[in-house]
Amino acid sequence: MNVRIPPSPNIDAATGEYATSARVTVERWRDGRRETMEDVVAEEVPIALEYNGISHAVMMATPADLEDFALGFSLTEGILADPGELYECEIVPGCEGVQVQMRIATERFVALKEKRRNLTGRTGCGLCGAETLEQAVRHPKAVAHEGARFTIDQIHAALEQMQGGQQLQQITGATHAAAWLDAEGKIALVREDVGRHNALDKLIGALAEDGADFSTGAAIITSRASYEMVQKAATVGIGFIAAISAPTALAIRLAEETDVTLLGFVRKQGHVVYARPHRLR
């Protein structure tokens, strides 16, 4: 059988934008039996992030919520210190990928050029292109607030609730999600991407655009809690992270250093507290 490969690029003819998924014909084998069927797979597209006309990063990502991604990435990478420093953001789909053209404050652009970073990221890669050890392992300031407190029942309920917002995951089984648990213990926002870092950046960008107070909630992530996930959260002042999988040792050390409450293996009514449990009630 010839497996049908999705066209490249997979651009929606009606909107001119990249689709987030594609349909393919596949062979599925179960119990030694073959079945020909149609499957839905997630799209993965190069996203070029440009600042004031200069290309800075190319990340592989799901082509959705790219304005959120651009702002979130800019904040969590320390390119911007405030959402107001992003003046314009234009999404330009092309044959080989998407250009995200941003215009930022002059002083921020000057600082960006001084960093001399030009990173090419793959899915799940958050440090590609760092030129020095200092660039690779950044240490944000400690979260400067006590922050919201949650019961573990609220955390478990949030994981179940966020599944309803993972629409792309439901049809493809290939995406991570990051969700915002608000002060009332409800999931207020969900963002998805094939890359776990991208999903968190999209969530942070969407919250920042709405002027959210990062001290009033928690980030729930459907992935492992790597160093970069803690670093991104701490950079914008998120003091509580709950992950469905394990953290790394470096992530735990950074969570302790930045006063971030870090939970792992949050699933099936169980969890492990790895750092700063004082926000659990």
Side-chain angles (χ1 to χ4, degrees), residues 43-204:
E43 279 290 354
E44 187 177 25
V45 175
I47 309 296
L49 301 174
E50 299 181 1
Y51 295 91
N52 295 11
I54 303 297
S55 180
H56 172 70
V58 179
M59 308 296 289
M60 300 303 296
T62 300
D65 303 309
L66 294 182
E67 293 91 346
D68 295 340
F69 178 49
L71 178 56
F73 178 90
S74 300
L75 291 170
T76 64
E77 290 298 311
I79 297 170
L80 302 180
D82 183 270
E85 294 172 334
L86 175 60
Y87 297 152
E88 295 178 2
C89 181
E90 183 178 2
I91 309 301
V92 184
C95 293
E96 300 298 329
V98 179
Q99 289 182 321
V100 181
Q101 300 173 350
M102 290 171 277
R103 186 168 68 87
I104 63 175
T106 300
E107 58 271 25
R108 288 297 172 186
F109 181 60
V110 171
L112 177 63
K113 289 195 297 183
E114 290 177 353
K115 290 183 178 180
R116 299 177 64 244
R117 293 188 64 188
N118 186 11
L119 53 151
T120 300
R122 299 178 181 177
T123 299
C125 179
L127 296 176
C128 301
E131 295 178 345
T132 67
L133 292 177
E134 289 75 14
Q135 289 177 343
V137 183
R138 290 191 294 116
H139 295 265
K141 294 180 180 179
V143 174
H145 56 77
E146 181 64 22
R149 301 176 68 212
F150 298 98
T151 68
I152 196 60
D153 288 341
Q154 288 176 312
I155 300 297
H156 283 286
L159 276 170
E160 294 184 8
Q161 184 186 350
M162 73 183 290
Q163 292 175 2
Q166 295 176 245
Q167 298 178 2
L168 193 56
Q169 168 67 8
Q170 290 170 10
I171 63 174
T172 68
T175 57
H176 289 293
W180 183 245
L181 182 64
D182 66 19
E184 304 301 319
K186 303 295 183 182
I187 292 296
L189 188 66
V190 178
R191 286 292 183 265
E192 293 183 276
D193 199 276
V194 290
R196 66 186 187 275
H197 306 102
N198 301 340
L200 183 58
D201 277 336
K202 287 179 178 182
L203 177 70
I204 289 171

Side-chain angles (χ1 to χ4, degrees), residues 1-6 23-27 36-39:
M1 184 198 93
N2 292 324
V3 177
R4 181 170 60 83
I5 306 299
R23 295 183 178 276
V24 297
T25 302
V26 300
E27 289 183 353
T36 301
M37 62 179 296
E38 189 176 70
D39 197 6

